[in-house]
mmCIF file of all heavy atoms in Angstrom:
data_model
loop_
_atom_site.group_PDB
_atom_site.id
_atom_site.type_symbol
_atom_site.label_atom_id
_atom_site.label_comp_id
_atom_site.label_asym_id
_atom_site.label_seq_id
_atom_site.Cartn_x
_atom_site.Cartn_y
_atom_site.Cartn_z
ATOM 1 N N THR A 285 4.647 13.673 -2.186
ATOM 2 C CA THR A 285 3.801 14.219 -3.101
ATOM 3 C C THR A 285 4.511 14.383 -4.343
ATOM 4 O O THR A 285 5.663 14.854 -4.451
ATOM 5 C CB THR A 285 3.276 15.535 -2.571
ATOM 6 O OG1 THR A 285 2.611 15.383 -1.342
ATOM 7 C CG2 THR A 285 2.428 16.255 -3.583
ATOM 8 N N ASN A 286 3.883 14.007 -5.573
ATOM 9 C CA ASN A 286 4.537 14.036 -6.904
ATOM 10 C C ASN A 286 3.386 14.358 -7.822
ATOM 11 O O ASN A 286 2.759 13.369 -8.268
ATOM 12 C CB ASN A 286 5.308 12.747 -7.147
ATOM 13 C CG ASN A 286 5.880 12.881 -8.574
ATOM 14 O OD1 ASN A 286 5.826 13.757 -9.261
ATOM 15 N ND2 ASN A 286 6.647 11.764 -8.802
ATOM 16 N N THR A 287 3.203 15.513 -8.247
ATOM 17 C CA THR A 287 2.115 15.863 -9.185
ATOM 18 C C THR A 287 2.415 15.378 -10.556
ATOM 19 O O THR A 287 1.517 15.362 -11.458
ATOM 20 C CB THR A 287 1.929 17.423 -9.311
ATOM 21 O OG1 THR A 287 3.117 17.995 -9.712
ATOM 22 C CG2 THR A 287 1.448 17.927 -7.939
ATOM 23 N N LEU A 288 3.630 14.885 -10.912
ATOM 24 C CA LEU A 288 3.950 14.368 -12.164
ATOM 25 C C LEU A 288 3.819 12.806 -12.144
ATOM 26 O O LEU A 288 4.069 12.112 -13.304
ATOM 27 C CB LEU A 288 5.358 14.804 -12.594
ATOM 28 C CG LEU A 288 5.618 16.263 -12.769
ATOM 29 C CD1 LEU A 288 7.084 16.539 -13.028
ATOM 30 C CD2 LEU A 288 4.782 16.900 -13.680
ATOM 31 N N ARG A 289 3.446 12.292 -11.036
ATOM 32 C CA ARG A 289 3.297 10.679 -10.993
ATOM 33 C C ARG A 289 2.252 10.248 -11.881
ATOM 34 O O ARG A 289 1.153 10.737 -12.015
ATOM 35 C CB ARG A 289 3.025 10.366 -9.480
ATOM 36 C CG ARG A 289 2.836 8.846 -9.316
ATOM 37 C CD ARG A 289 2.431 8.654 -7.894
ATOM 38 N NE ARG A 289 3.273 9.191 -6.895
ATOM 39 C CZ ARG A 289 2.965 9.720 -5.763
ATOM 40 N NH1 ARG A 289 1.724 9.859 -5.417
ATOM 41 N NH2 ARG A 289 3.821 10.178 -4.987
ATOM 42 N N SER A 290 2.617 9.313 -12.755
ATOM 43 C CA SER A 290 1.595 8.607 -13.566
ATOM 44 C C SER A 290 1.132 7.305 -13.118
ATOM 45 O O SER A 290 0.241 6.657 -13.761
ATOM 46 C CB SER A 290 2.032 8.647 -15.046
ATOM 47 O OG SER A 290 3.254 7.894 -15.164
ATOM 48 N N GLY A 291 1.742 6.779 -12.108
ATOM 49 C CA GLY A 291 1.443 5.497 -11.543
ATOM 50 C C GLY A 291 2.355 5.020 -10.434
ATOM 51 O O GLY A 291 3.424 5.609 -10.313
ATOM 52 N N TRP A 292 1.903 4.096 -9.689
ATOM 53 C CA TRP A 292 2.740 3.554 -8.546
ATOM 54 C C TRP A 292 2.088 2.230 -8.150
ATOM 55 O O TRP A 292 0.951 1.961 -8.483
ATOM 56 C CB TRP A 292 2.886 4.461 -7.449
ATOM 57 C CG TRP A 292 1.573 4.740 -6.747
ATOM 58 C CD1 TRP A 292 0.630 5.600 -7.093
ATOM 59 C CD2 TRP A 292 1.038 4.113 -5.554
ATOM 60 N NE1 TRP A 292 -0.381 5.643 -6.174
ATOM 61 C CE2 TRP A 292 -0.284 4.715 -5.288
ATOM 62 C CE3 TRP A 292 1.536 3.049 -4.726
ATOM 63 C CZ2 TRP A 292 -0.971 4.243 -4.191
ATOM 64 C CZ3 TRP A 292 0.790 2.629 -3.533
ATOM 65 C CH2 TRP A 292 -0.504 3.217 -3.325
ATOM 66 N N PHE A 293 2.841 1.327 -7.410
ATOM 67 C CA PHE A 293 2.272 0.263 -6.759
ATOM 68 C C PHE A 293 3.230 -0.175 -5.671
ATOM 69 O O PHE A 293 4.314 0.173 -5.601
ATOM 70 C CB PHE A 293 1.933 -0.962 -7.772
ATOM 71 C CG PHE A 293 3.333 -1.645 -8.200
ATOM 72 C CD1 PHE A 293 3.866 -2.625 -7.420
ATOM 73 C CD2 PHE A 293 3.930 -1.371 -9.368
ATOM 74 C CE1 PHE A 293 5.042 -3.287 -7.850
ATOM 75 C CE2 PHE A 293 5.114 -1.958 -9.810
ATOM 76 C CZ PHE A 293 5.616 -3.002 -8.997
ATOM 77 N N VAL A 294 2.601 -0.981 -4.699
ATOM 78 C CA VAL A 294 3.376 -1.541 -3.590
ATOM 79 C C VAL A 294 2.851 -2.990 -3.328
ATOM 80 O O VAL A 294 1.621 -3.291 -3.546
ATOM 81 C CB VAL A 294 3.208 -0.686 -2.278
ATOM 82 C CG1 VAL A 294 1.831 -0.609 -1.797
ATOM 83 C CG2 VAL A 294 4.088 -1.248 -1.154
ATOM 84 N N GLN A 295 3.843 -3.932 -3.068
ATOM 85 C CA GLN A 295 3.450 -5.283 -2.833
ATOM 86 C C GLN A 295 4.036 -5.744 -1.488
ATOM 87 O O GLN A 295 5.266 -5.430 -1.255
ATOM 88 C CB GLN A 295 4.066 -6.199 -3.881
ATOM 89 C CG GLN A 295 3.648 -7.671 -3.674
ATOM 90 C CD GLN A 295 4.291 -8.568 -4.683
ATOM 91 O OE1 GLN A 295 5.335 -8.306 -5.220
ATOM 92 N NE2 GLN A 295 3.637 -9.655 -5.042
ATOM 93 N N ASN A 296 3.312 -6.404 -0.592
ATOM 94 C CA ASN A 296 3.808 -6.907 0.613
ATOM 95 C C ASN A 296 4.555 -8.174 0.268
ATOM 96 O O ASN A 296 4.040 -9.197 -0.338
ATOM 97 C CB ASN A 296 2.593 -7.220 1.584
ATOM 98 C CG ASN A 296 3.022 -7.800 2.780
ATOM 99 O OD1 ASN A 296 4.301 -8.094 3.058
ATOM 100 N ND2 ASN A 296 2.152 -8.083 3.720
ATOM 101 N N THR A 297 5.852 -8.160 0.646
ATOM 102 C CA THR A 297 6.711 -9.305 0.364
ATOM 103 C C THR A 297 7.184 -10.020 1.605
ATOM 104 O O THR A 297 8.196 -10.793 1.692
ATOM 105 C CB THR A 297 7.871 -8.961 -0.369
ATOM 106 O OG1 THR A 297 8.733 -7.904 0.162
ATOM 107 C CG2 THR A 297 7.498 -8.384 -1.772
ATOM 108 N N THR A 298 6.450 -9.874 2.762
ATOM 109 C CA THR A 298 6.846 -10.542 4.087
ATOM 110 C C THR A 298 5.814 -11.482 4.463
ATOM 111 O O THR A 298 4.603 -11.116 4.605
ATOM 112 C CB THR A 298 6.964 -9.458 5.109
ATOM 113 O OG1 THR A 298 7.942 -8.491 4.844
ATOM 114 C CG2 THR A 298 7.466 -10.104 6.508
ATOM 115 N N LEU A 299 6.163 -12.709 4.591
ATOM 116 C CA LEU A 299 5.277 -13.848 5.037
ATOM 117 C C LEU A 299 4.731 -13.505 6.367
ATOM 118 O O LEU A 299 5.350 -13.021 7.309
ATOM 119 C CB LEU A 299 6.049 -15.177 5.083
ATOM 120 C CG LEU A 299 6.332 -15.892 3.800
ATOM 121 C CD1 LEU A 299 7.230 -17.073 3.986
ATOM 122 C CD2 LEU A 299 5.062 -16.293 3.061
ATOM 123 N N ASN A 300 3.390 -13.873 6.642
ATOM 124 C CA ASN A 300 2.746 -13.757 7.881
ATOM 125 C C ASN A 300 2.681 -12.458 8.469
ATOM 126 O O ASN A 300 2.677 -12.252 9.665
ATOM 127 C CB ASN A 300 3.364 -14.889 8.811
ATOM 128 C CG ASN A 300 3.244 -16.191 8.396
ATOM 129 O OD1 ASN A 300 2.337 -16.671 7.847
ATOM 130 N ND2 ASN A 300 4.387 -16.938 8.470
ATOM 131 N N THR A 301 2.678 -11.455 7.668
ATOM 132 C CA THR A 301 2.726 -9.937 8.194
ATOM 133 C C THR A 301 1.767 -9.213 7.268
ATOM 134 O O THR A 301 1.739 -9.314 6.076
ATOM 135 C CB THR A 301 4.112 -9.485 7.976
ATOM 136 O OG1 THR A 301 5.022 -10.171 8.826
ATOM 137 C CG2 THR A 301 4.161 -8.009 8.526
ATOM 138 N N ILE A 302 1.037 -8.301 7.926
ATOM 139 C CA ILE A 302 0.125 -7.397 7.262
ATOM 140 C C ILE A 302 0.935 -6.114 7.147
ATOM 141 O O ILE A 302 1.551 -5.643 8.128
ATOM 142 C CB ILE A 302 -1.233 -7.250 8.086
ATOM 143 C CG1 ILE A 302 -1.918 -8.565 8.229
ATOM 144 C CG2 ILE A 302 -1.996 -6.183 7.324
ATOM 145 C CD1 ILE A 302 -2.496 -9.068 6.938
ATOM 146 N N ILE A 303 0.855 -5.446 5.874
ATOM 147 C CA ILE A 303 1.271 -4.075 5.713
ATOM 148 C C ILE A 303 0.067 -3.277 5.387
ATOM 149 O O ILE A 303 -0.755 -3.617 4.636
ATOM 150 C CB ILE A 303 2.237 -4.121 4.602
ATOM 151 C CG1 ILE A 303 3.615 -4.753 4.981
ATOM 152 C CG2 ILE A 303 2.548 -2.676 4.114
ATOM 153 C CD1 ILE A 303 4.643 -4.728 3.966
ATOM 154 N N SER A 304 0.000 -2.048 5.994
ATOM 155 C CA SER A 304 -1.125 -1.133 5.695
ATOM 156 C C SER A 304 -0.521 0.028 4.802
ATOM 157 O O SER A 304 0.675 0.456 5.048
ATOM 158 C CB SER A 304 -1.686 -0.720 7.023
ATOM 159 O OG SER A 304 -0.802 -0.041 7.823
ATOM 160 N N VAL A 305 -1.375 0.500 4.004
ATOM 161 C CA VAL A 305 -0.966 1.585 2.995
ATOM 162 C C VAL A 305 -2.178 2.543 3.014
ATOM 163 O O VAL A 305 -3.392 2.261 2.977
ATOM 164 C CB VAL A 305 -0.874 1.007 1.565
ATOM 165 C CG1 VAL A 305 -0.519 2.084 0.614
ATOM 166 C CG2 VAL A 305 0.234 -0.029 1.545
ATOM 167 N N ASN A 306 -1.759 3.884 3.123
ATOM 168 C CA ASN A 306 -2.841 4.921 3.025
ATOM 169 C C ASN A 306 -2.328 5.835 1.919
ATOM 170 O O ASN A 306 -1.392 6.456 1.985
ATOM 171 C CB ASN A 306 -2.821 5.755 4.293
ATOM 172 C CG ASN A 306 -4.085 6.599 4.253
ATOM 173 O OD1 ASN A 306 -4.119 7.532 3.401
ATOM 174 N ND2 ASN A 306 -5.012 6.455 5.164
ATOM 175 N N GLU A 307 -3.098 5.867 0.803
ATOM 176 C CA GLU A 307 -2.761 6.557 -0.472
ATOM 177 C C GLU A 307 -3.358 8.022 -0.489
ATOM 178 O O GLU A 307 -3.251 8.644 -1.474
ATOM 179 C CB GLU A 307 -3.203 5.796 -1.671
ATOM 180 C CG GLU A 307 -4.616 5.936 -2.011
ATOM 181 C CD GLU A 307 -5.598 5.109 -1.199
ATOM 182 O OE1 GLU A 307 -5.290 4.642 -0.066
ATOM 183 O OE2 GLU A 307 -6.770 5.060 -1.554
ATOM 184 N N ILE A 308 -4.009 8.485 0.596
ATOM 185 C CA ILE A 308 -4.639 9.780 0.512
ATOM 186 C C ILE A 308 -3.887 10.822 1.626
ATOM 187 O O ILE A 308 -4.503 11.681 1.911
ATOM 188 C CB ILE A 308 -6.063 9.719 0.826
ATOM 189 C CG1 ILE A 308 -6.521 9.075 1.992
ATOM 190 C CG2 ILE A 308 -6.771 8.996 -0.409
ATOM 191 C CD1 ILE A 308 -8.032 9.099 2.412
ATOM 192 N N GLY A 309 -2.678 10.403 1.811
ATOM 193 C CA GLY A 309 -1.852 11.326 2.730
ATOM 194 C C GLY A 309 -2.007 11.139 4.227
ATOM 195 O O GLY A 309 -1.288 11.704 4.996
ATOM 196 N N ASN A 310 -2.943 10.308 4.716
ATOM 197 C CA ASN A 310 -3.022 10.088 6.147
ATOM 198 C C ASN A 310 -2.101 9.036 6.565
ATOM 199 O O ASN A 310 -1.503 8.231 5.766
ATOM 200 C CB ASN A 310 -4.508 9.679 6.390
ATOM 201 C CG ASN A 310 -5.591 10.753 6.160
ATOM 202 O OD1 ASN A 310 -5.247 11.866 6.171
ATOM 203 N ND2 ASN A 310 -6.725 10.259 5.704
ATOM 204 N N PRO A 311 -1.926 8.911 7.917
ATOM 205 C CA PRO A 311 -1.022 7.862 8.379
ATOM 206 C C PRO A 311 -1.462 6.468 8.020
ATOM 207 O O PRO A 311 -2.732 6.303 8.178
ATOM 208 C CB PRO A 311 -1.017 8.173 9.893
ATOM 209 C CG PRO A 311 -1.318 9.564 10.084
ATOM 210 C CD PRO A 311 -2.328 9.802 8.902
ATOM 211 N N ALA A 312 -0.607 5.617 7.759
ATOM 212 C CA ALA A 312 -1.032 4.270 7.424
ATOM 213 C C ALA A 312 -1.537 3.450 8.620
ATOM 214 O O ALA A 312 -2.094 2.372 8.398
ATOM 215 C CB ALA A 312 0.117 3.468 6.796
ATOM 216 N N THR A 313 -1.366 4.072 9.837
ATOM 217 C CA THR A 313 -1.867 3.440 11.004
ATOM 218 C C THR A 313 -3.292 3.893 11.357
ATOM 219 O O THR A 313 -3.931 3.571 12.377
ATOM 220 C CB THR A 313 -0.955 3.783 12.220
ATOM 221 O OG1 THR A 313 -0.688 5.244 12.315
ATOM 222 C CG2 THR A 313 0.468 3.131 12.020
ATOM 223 N N SER A 314 -3.872 4.744 10.574
ATOM 224 C CA SER A 314 -5.291 5.381 10.803
ATOM 225 C C SER A 314 -6.265 4.528 10.158
ATOM 226 O O SER A 314 -6.010 3.731 9.272
ATOM 227 C CB SER A 314 -5.311 6.734 10.396
ATOM 228 O OG SER A 314 -5.154 6.891 8.953
ATOM 229 N N ALA A 315 -7.493 4.851 10.554
ATOM 230 C CA ALA A 315 -8.655 4.190 9.888
ATOM 231 C C ALA A 315 -8.717 4.535 8.458
ATOM 232 O O ALA A 315 -8.382 5.579 7.990
ATOM 233 C CB ALA A 315 -10.004 4.668 10.642
ATOM 234 N N GLY A 316 -9.027 3.509 7.627
ATOM 235 C CA GLY A 316 -9.094 3.679 6.151
ATOM 236 C C GLY A 316 -7.929 3.233 5.421
ATOM 237 O O GLY A 316 -7.905 3.338 4.265
ATOM 238 N N ALA A 317 -6.954 2.861 6.085
ATOM 239 C CA ALA A 317 -5.773 2.211 5.445
ATOM 240 C C ALA A 317 -6.219 0.986 4.764
ATOM 241 O O ALA A 317 -6.936 0.197 5.269
ATOM 242 C CB ALA A 317 -4.576 2.077 6.443
ATOM 243 N N VAL A 318 -5.476 0.604 3.687
ATOM 244 C CA VAL A 318 -5.643 -0.558 2.971
ATOM 245 C C VAL A 318 -4.670 -1.537 3.527
ATOM 246 O O VAL A 318 -3.476 -1.316 3.769
ATOM 247 C CB VAL A 318 -5.358 -0.452 1.340
ATOM 248 C CG1 VAL A 318 -5.435 -1.759 0.650
ATOM 249 C CG2 VAL A 318 -6.353 0.679 0.836
ATOM 250 N N LEU A 319 -5.264 -2.804 3.830
ATOM 251 C CA LEU A 319 -4.490 -3.880 4.523
ATOM 252 C C LEU A 319 -3.918 -4.921 3.370
ATOM 253 O O LEU A 319 -4.787 -5.349 2.687
ATOM 254 C CB LEU A 319 -5.156 -4.535 5.446
ATOM 255 C CG LEU A 319 -5.792 -3.720 6.647
ATOM 256 C CD1 LEU A 319 -6.485 -4.505 7.676
ATOM 257 C CD2 LEU A 319 -4.542 -2.959 7.347
ATOM 258 N N LEU A 320 -2.614 -5.128 3.342
ATOM 259 C CA LEU A 320 -2.081 -6.079 2.347
ATOM 260 C C LEU A 320 -1.489 -7.311 3.060
ATOM 261 O O LEU A 320 -0.653 -7.101 3.936
ATOM 262 C CB LEU A 320 -0.996 -5.339 1.496
ATOM 263 C CG LEU A 320 -1.333 -4.083 0.864
ATOM 264 C CD1 LEU A 320 -0.150 -3.538 0.149
ATOM 265 C CD2 LEU A 320 -2.516 -4.327 -0.136
ATOM 266 N N LYS A 321 -2.064 -8.461 2.704
ATOM 267 C CA LYS A 321 -1.417 -9.731 3.061
ATOM 268 C C LYS A 321 -0.302 -10.018 2.225
ATOM 269 O O LYS A 321 0.060 -9.368 1.191
ATOM 270 C CB LYS A 321 -2.410 -10.833 3.039
ATOM 271 C CG LYS A 321 -3.671 -10.725 3.895
ATOM 272 C CD LYS A 321 -4.619 -11.763 3.799
ATOM 273 C CE LYS A 321 -5.251 -11.576 2.481
ATOM 274 N NZ LYS A 321 -6.387 -12.497 2.137
ATOM 275 N N TYR A 322 0.574 -11.024 2.561
ATOM 276 C CA TYR A 322 1.730 -11.510 1.804
ATOM 277 C C TYR A 322 1.307 -11.623 0.330
ATOM 278 O O TYR A 322 0.312 -12.306 0.050
ATOM 279 C CB TYR A 322 2.263 -12.754 2.367
ATOM 280 C CG TYR A 322 3.366 -13.344 1.476
ATOM 281 C CD1 TYR A 322 4.559 -12.768 1.458
ATOM 282 C CD2 TYR A 322 3.141 -14.508 0.714
ATOM 283 C CE1 TYR A 322 5.628 -13.262 0.613
ATOM 284 C CE2 TYR A 322 4.061 -14.979 -0.126
ATOM 285 C CZ TYR A 322 5.373 -14.346 -0.137
ATOM 286 O OH TYR A 322 6.370 -14.911 -1.007
ATOM 287 N N GLY A 323 2.066 -10.955 -0.555
ATOM 288 C CA GLY A 323 1.834 -11.123 -2.026
ATOM 289 C C GLY A 323 0.775 -10.134 -2.553
ATOM 290 O O GLY A 323 0.712 -9.890 -3.776
ATOM 291 N N ASP A 324 -0.031 -9.527 -1.719
ATOM 292 C CA ASP A 324 -0.993 -8.517 -2.214
ATOM 293 C C ASP A 324 -0.294 -7.365 -2.807
ATOM 294 O O ASP A 324 0.731 -6.889 -2.342
ATOM 295 C CB ASP A 324 -1.962 -8.066 -1.008
ATOM 296 C CG ASP A 324 -2.984 -9.114 -0.625
ATOM 297 O OD1 ASP A 324 -3.042 -10.192 -1.333
ATOM 298 O OD2 ASP A 324 -3.661 -8.893 0.402
ATOM 299 N N VAL A 325 -1.009 -6.748 -3.799
ATOM 300 C CA VAL A 325 -0.556 -5.550 -4.534
ATOM 301 C C VAL A 325 -1.625 -4.509 -4.513
ATOM 302 O O VAL A 325 -2.796 -4.855 -4.541
ATOM 303 C CB VAL A 325 -0.152 -5.880 -6.055
ATOM 304 C CG1 VAL A 325 0.204 -4.615 -6.700
ATOM 305 C CG2 VAL A 325 0.996 -6.908 -6.106
ATOM 306 N N PHE A 326 -1.225 -3.268 -4.187
ATOM 307 C CA PHE A 326 -2.092 -2.151 -4.222
ATOM 308 C C PHE A 326 -1.476 -1.003 -4.942
ATOM 309 O O PHE A 326 -0.209 -0.840 -4.818
ATOM 310 C CB PHE A 326 -2.492 -1.726 -2.777
ATOM 311 C CG PHE A 326 -3.464 -0.595 -2.745
ATOM 312 C CD1 PHE A 326 -4.775 -0.818 -2.838
ATOM 313 C CD2 PHE A 326 -3.069 0.824 -2.559
ATOM 314 C CE1 PHE A 326 -5.739 0.256 -2.852
ATOM 315 C CE2 PHE A 326 -3.958 1.717 -2.496
ATOM 316 C CZ PHE A 326 -5.184 1.459 -2.636
ATOM 317 N N PRO A 327 -2.135 -0.189 -5.744
ATOM 318 C CA PRO A 327 -3.562 -0.250 -6.115
ATOM 319 C C PRO A 327 -3.830 -1.239 -7.184
ATOM 320 O O PRO A 327 -2.950 -1.683 -7.918
ATOM 321 C CB PRO A 327 -3.832 1.217 -6.470
ATOM 322 C CG PRO A 327 -2.551 1.648 -7.118
ATOM 323 C CD PRO A 327 -1.458 0.999 -6.270
ATOM 324 N N PRO A 328 -5.116 -1.696 -7.260
ATOM 325 C CA PRO A 328 -5.515 -2.596 -8.350
ATOM 326 C C PRO A 328 -5.510 -1.827 -9.655
ATOM 327 O O PRO A 328 -5.553 -0.650 -9.762
ATOM 328 C CB PRO A 328 -6.908 -3.023 -7.909
ATOM 329 C CG PRO A 328 -7.427 -1.905 -7.100
ATOM 330 C CD PRO A 328 -6.239 -1.273 -6.318
#
């Protein structure tokens, strides 16, 4: 948690692997996580 954050991003850099991200504090393994394929960037 960082109330001074003005921005952030994450990019999946692993071939043939899905990375999940949850930006609302829930586990990234839970429903509602954003799935990133190789090269994908979140948030848009």
